[in-house]
Amino acid sequence: MRQSRLSLSRKLETAITIVVVIVAIIAGLAALGGRSSSSSSIVLAPSGYVFSLSPGYYYYIKFTTPSDATDIFINGSYVSNNNVEVLILTPVEFGAFTQNPGGVISSGDYVWYSGDNTGATLNATLAPGQTYYLVFFNDNLMSNATDTIEVVLSITVWGYPTGG
Protein backbone atom coordinates (compact mmCIF):
# COMPACT_ATOMS: atom_id res chain seq x y z
CA MET A 1 0.00 0.00 0.00
CA ARG A 2 2.83 2.39 0.77
CA GLN A 3 4.48 1.82 -2.55
CA SER A 4 1.32 2.65 -4.49
CA ARG A 5 0.86 5.96 -2.59
CA LEU A 6 4.47 6.91 -3.23
CA SER A 7 4.11 5.94 -6.84
CA LEU A 8 0.90 7.97 -7.16
CA SER A 9 2.60 10.93 -5.44
CA ARG A 10 5.56 10.77 -7.83
CA LYS A 11 3.23 10.55 -10.81
CA LEU A 12 1.34 13.59 -9.57
CA GLU A 13 4.60 15.55 -9.05
CA THR A 14 5.75 14.58 -12.54
CA ALA A 15 2.42 15.64 -14.07
CA ILE A 16 2.53 18.99 -12.28
CA THR A 17 6.13 19.55 -13.44
CA ILE A 18 5.15 18.80 -17.03
CA VAL A 19 2.21 21.21 -16.85
CA VAL A 20 4.43 23.96 -15.41
CA VAL A 21 7.02 23.43 -18.17
CA ILE A 22 4.34 23.54 -20.89
CA VAL A 23 2.83 26.73 -19.47
CA ALA A 24 6.30 28.32 -19.32
CA ILE A 25 6.99 27.36 -22.95
CA ILE A 26 3.64 28.75 -24.13
CA ALA A 27 4.19 31.99 -22.19
CA GLY A 28 7.67 32.33 -23.68
CA LEU A 29 6.39 31.82 -27.23
CA ALA A 30 3.63 34.35 -26.66
CA ALA A 31 6.19 36.89 -25.43
CA LEU A 32 8.32 36.40 -28.52
CA GLY A 33 5.36 37.07 -30.76
CA GLY A 34 4.21 40.15 -28.89
CA ARG A 35 5.56 43.42 -27.64
CA SER A 36 8.11 43.52 -24.88
CA SER A 37 6.64 44.92 -21.69
CA SER A 38 9.74 46.97 -20.97
CA SER A 39 10.12 50.37 -22.57
CA SER A 40 13.20 52.30 -23.57
CA SER A 41 13.54 56.04 -23.17
CA ILE A 42 15.65 59.02 -24.23
CA VAL A 43 15.70 62.05 -21.93
CA LEU A 44 15.89 65.21 -24.04
CA ALA A 45 15.73 67.67 -21.14
CA PRO A 46 15.85 66.65 -17.47
CA SER A 47 13.60 68.05 -14.75
CA GLY A 48 15.03 71.29 -13.43
CA TYR A 49 16.81 72.21 -16.68
CA VAL A 50 16.63 76.03 -17.09
CA PHE A 51 17.55 78.21 -20.06
CA SER A 52 16.74 81.68 -21.41
CA LEU A 53 15.69 82.93 -24.83
CA SER A 54 15.94 86.48 -26.10
CA PRO A 55 13.02 87.80 -28.20
CA GLY A 56 12.96 86.32 -31.70
CA TYR A 57 15.32 83.47 -30.79
CA TYR A 58 14.74 79.75 -30.54
CA TYR A 59 16.44 76.81 -28.86
CA TYR A 60 16.19 73.33 -30.33
CA ILE A 61 17.03 69.75 -29.48
CA LYS A 62 17.50 67.41 -32.42
CA PHE A 63 16.70 63.74 -31.75
CA THR A 64 15.98 60.52 -33.60
CA THR A 65 13.47 57.96 -32.44
CA PRO A 66 14.60 54.32 -32.21
CA SER A 67 13.98 52.46 -35.47
CA ASP A 68 13.43 49.19 -33.61
CA ALA A 69 10.55 50.44 -31.49
CA THR A 70 6.79 50.83 -31.68
CA ASP A 71 4.30 53.03 -29.85
CA ILE A 72 6.78 55.90 -29.60
CA PHE A 73 5.72 59.06 -27.83
CA ILE A 74 7.18 62.14 -26.17
CA ASN A 75 6.01 63.69 -22.94
CA GLY A 76 7.11 66.13 -20.27
CA SER A 77 6.27 69.65 -19.16
CA TYR A 78 7.76 73.11 -18.84
CA VAL A 79 6.98 76.58 -17.48
CA SER A 80 8.09 80.02 -18.63
CA ASN A 81 8.12 83.47 -17.04
CA ASN A 82 6.70 84.90 -20.31
CA ASN A 83 4.87 83.36 -23.22
CA VAL A 84 6.86 80.79 -25.15
CA GLU A 85 5.92 78.55 -28.08
CA VAL A 86 7.09 74.94 -28.28
CA LEU A 87 6.97 72.78 -31.38
CA ILE A 88 7.97 69.31 -32.51
CA LEU A 89 9.06 69.47 -36.14
CA THR A 90 10.33 67.13 -38.84
CA PRO A 91 13.58 68.17 -40.61
CA VAL A 92 11.63 69.72 -43.51
CA GLU A 93 9.36 71.62 -41.12
CA PHE A 94 12.38 72.76 -39.09
CA GLY A 95 14.05 74.07 -42.27
CA ALA A 96 10.92 76.10 -43.06
CA PHE A 97 10.72 77.27 -39.42
CA THR A 98 14.28 78.67 -39.52
CA GLN A 99 13.25 80.81 -42.52
CA ASN A 100 9.80 81.88 -41.30
CA PRO A 101 8.72 80.74 -37.79
CA GLY A 102 5.35 82.47 -37.95
CA GLY A 103 4.59 80.94 -41.34
CA VAL A 104 5.12 77.40 -40.04
CA ILE A 105 3.05 78.06 -36.93
CA SER A 106 0.15 79.65 -38.83
CA SER A 107 0.21 76.94 -41.54
CA GLY A 108 -0.16 74.11 -39.03
CA ASP A 109 2.87 72.37 -40.57
CA TYR A 110 4.19 70.74 -37.41
CA VAL A 111 3.96 67.48 -35.51
CA TRP A 112 2.93 69.17 -32.26
CA TYR A 113 2.46 72.78 -31.12
CA SER A 114 1.96 74.11 -27.59
CA GLY A 115 0.35 77.40 -28.47
CA ASP A 116 1.62 80.69 -27.05
CA ASN A 117 1.68 80.09 -23.29
CA THR A 118 3.56 80.18 -20.00
CA GLY A 119 3.74 76.40 -19.72
CA ALA A 120 2.33 73.19 -21.10
CA THR A 121 2.54 69.42 -21.06
CA LEU A 122 4.00 67.78 -24.14
CA ASN A 123 2.27 64.63 -25.29
CA ALA A 124 2.63 63.45 -28.89
CA THR A 125 2.96 60.19 -30.79
CA LEU A 126 6.04 59.88 -33.01
CA ALA A 127 7.13 57.56 -35.84
CA PRO A 128 9.99 55.06 -35.44
CA GLY A 129 13.39 55.84 -36.95
CA GLN A 130 12.56 59.49 -37.64
CA THR A 131 14.50 62.64 -36.83
CA TYR A 132 12.65 65.43 -35.06
CA TYR A 133 13.40 68.84 -33.58
CA LEU A 134 11.99 69.94 -30.23
CA VAL A 135 11.92 73.75 -30.57
CA PHE A 136 11.37 76.43 -27.90
CA PHE A 137 10.61 79.79 -29.53
CA ASN A 138 10.41 83.27 -27.97
CA ASP A 139 8.08 85.27 -30.19
CA ASN A 140 7.85 88.21 -27.72
CA LEU A 141 9.21 90.78 -30.19
CA MET A 142 6.77 93.53 -29.20
CA SER A 143 7.44 93.29 -25.47
CA ASN A 144 11.19 92.68 -25.86
CA ALA A 145 10.88 90.19 -22.98
CA THR A 146 13.42 87.45 -22.37
CA ASP A 147 11.89 84.07 -21.64
CA THR A 148 13.28 81.86 -18.92
CA ILE A 149 12.10 78.31 -19.43
CA GLU A 150 12.27 75.54 -16.83
CA VAL A 151 11.60 71.88 -17.53
CA VAL A 152 9.25 70.69 -14.79
CA LEU A 153 8.84 67.02 -15.76
CA SER A 154 11.66 65.56 -17.85
CA ILE A 155 10.96 65.77 -21.56
CA THR A 156 11.38 62.17 -22.59
CA VAL A 157 10.90 60.05 -25.72
CA TRP A 158 9.47 56.60 -24.93
CA GLY A 159 9.13 53.50 -27.06
CA TYR A 160 8.63 49.76 -26.84
CA PRO A 161 11.25 47.59 -28.55
CA THR A 162 9.76 45.38 -31.23
CA GLY A 163 9.90 41.64 -30.61
CA GLY A 164 12.11 39.64 -32.88
Side-chain angles (χ1 to χ4, degrees):
M1 191 83 158
R2 270 187 164 183
Q3 283 184 336
S4 63
R5 283 188 183 168
L6 286 177
S7 178
L8 183 59
S9 176
R10 285 185 189 148
K11 286 180 183 177
L12 186 57
E13 285 176 14
T14 302
I16 290 171
T17 302
I18 290 170
V19 168
V20 168
V21 169
I22 290 171
V23 168
I25 290 170
I26 291 170
L29 291 173
L32 286 176
R35 180 176 80 187
S36 170
S37 63
S38 63
S39 64
S40 60
S41 63
I42 304 165
V43 176
L44 302 179
S47 297
Y49 181 63
V50 177
F51 60 98
S52 295
L53 288 173
S54 297
Y57 284 81
Y58 60 88
Y59 172 78
Y60 70 90
I61 301 169
K62 181 180 177 181
F63 65 97
T64 302
T65 58
S67 59
D68 63 345
T70 60
D71 298 329
I72 301 170
F73 56 96
I74 185 172
N75 63 14
S77 64
Y78 64 91
V79 293
S80 173
N81 66 321
N82 291 304
N83 283 8
V84 66
E85 298 174 63
V86 179
L87 302 98
I88 298 172
L89 304 169
T90 65
V92 170
E93 294 163 347
F94 181 71
F97 177 86
T98 62
Q99 301 301 308
N100 182 1
V104 169
I105 291 167
S106 65
S107 73
D109 259 346
Y110 45 76
V111 175
W112 182 85
Y113 175 59
S114 67
D116 190 14
N117 58 51
T118 58
T121 298
L122 286 83
N123 193 9
T125 302
L126 305 173
Q130 298 296 309
T131 298
Y132 294 97
Y133 292 80
L134 173 63
V135 181
F136 293 83
F137 176 52
N138 179 349
D139 190 29
N140 297 315
L141 296 174
M142 300 305 277
S143 68
N144 202 25
T146 297
D147 280 335
T148 299
I149 297 103
E150 179 179 358
V151 175
V152 178
L153 294 174
S154 293
I155 299 173
T156 306
V157 176
W158 300 89
Y160 293 92
T162 55

